[in-house]
């Protein structure tokens, strides 16, 4: 059974940093796209960043380019999202997802999802 478990969310002041981690288990993710999405209250789920598990290629939504970095974590089968220079508009529930299709920013193409972790940025 596939599990994606996020950690690292919390409350931070604007300009601060947080590092999210996603621990994946239950199958091989070779060739998969691993992504972070976020959803703020009253808004649709939004693509944030993705990484190809096999070759490390990455994509970012424009609003986080230069501030967020997605990477394969140091621990086996983990994906990290380093978030710097956070803004209040980054406040959302951040979810990790995995897709057999590379590359996609569409939530419906993702096969597996974590439960999400709350990120709150105060002004």
């Amino acid at each position: 059974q596939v599990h994606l478990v996020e950690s690292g969310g919390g409350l931070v002041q604007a300009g601060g940093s947080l590092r999210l981690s996603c621990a994946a288990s239950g199958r091989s993710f070779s060739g998969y796209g691993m992504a972070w999405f976020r959803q703020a209250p009253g808004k649709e789920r939004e693509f944030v960043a993705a990484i190809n598990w096999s070759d490390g290629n990455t994509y970012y939504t424009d609003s986080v380019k230069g501030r967020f970095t997605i990477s394969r974590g140091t621990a086996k089968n983990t994906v990290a999202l380093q978030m710097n220079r956070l803004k209040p508009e980054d406040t959302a529930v951040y979810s990790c997802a995995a897709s057999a299709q590379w590359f996609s920013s569409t939530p419906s193409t993702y096969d597996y999802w974590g439960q999400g972790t709350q990120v709150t940025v105060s002004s």
Side-chain angles (χ1 to χ4, degrees):
Q1 192 170 3
V2 175
H3 290 286
L4 302 178
V5 180
E6 303 94 339
S7 61
L11 173 64
V12 65
Q13 288 189 330
S17 299
L18 281 175
R19 183 177 178 86
L20 305 183
S21 183
C22 173
S25 62
R27 65 158 297 137
S28 169
F29 291 94
S30 176
Y32 267 62
M34 305 297 292
W36 288 93
F37 288 82
R38 66 187 180 186
Q39 188 167 21
K43 295 188 177 181
E44 292 188 354
R45 184 171 280 171
E46 174 191 24
F47 169 79
V48 177
I51 186 168
N52 186 300
W53 191 277
S54 296
D55 61 21
N57 283 334
T58 58
Y59 281 91
Y60 298 89
T61 191
D62 285 345
S63 63
V64 308
K65 284 180 181 177
R67 300 189 299 122
F68 291 11
T69 303
I70 188 171
S71 62
R72 288 170 291 190
T74 54
K76 186 179 179 181
N77 287 353
T78 60
V79 175
L81 183 69
Q82 178 66 42
M83 304 185 296
N84 298 328
R85 290 184 282 137
L86 282 159
K87 304 175 181 180
E89 52 263 43
D90 294 318
T91 295
V93 174
Y94 284 70
S95 299
C96 176
S99 172
Q101 177 180 330
W102 177 260
F103 157 70
S104 174
S105 61
T106 304
S108 61
T109 62
Y110 282 75
D111 308 293
Y112 307 107
W113 289 86
Q115 292 296 311
T117 185
Q118 177 70 46
V119 171
T120 303
V121 185
S122 63
S123 57

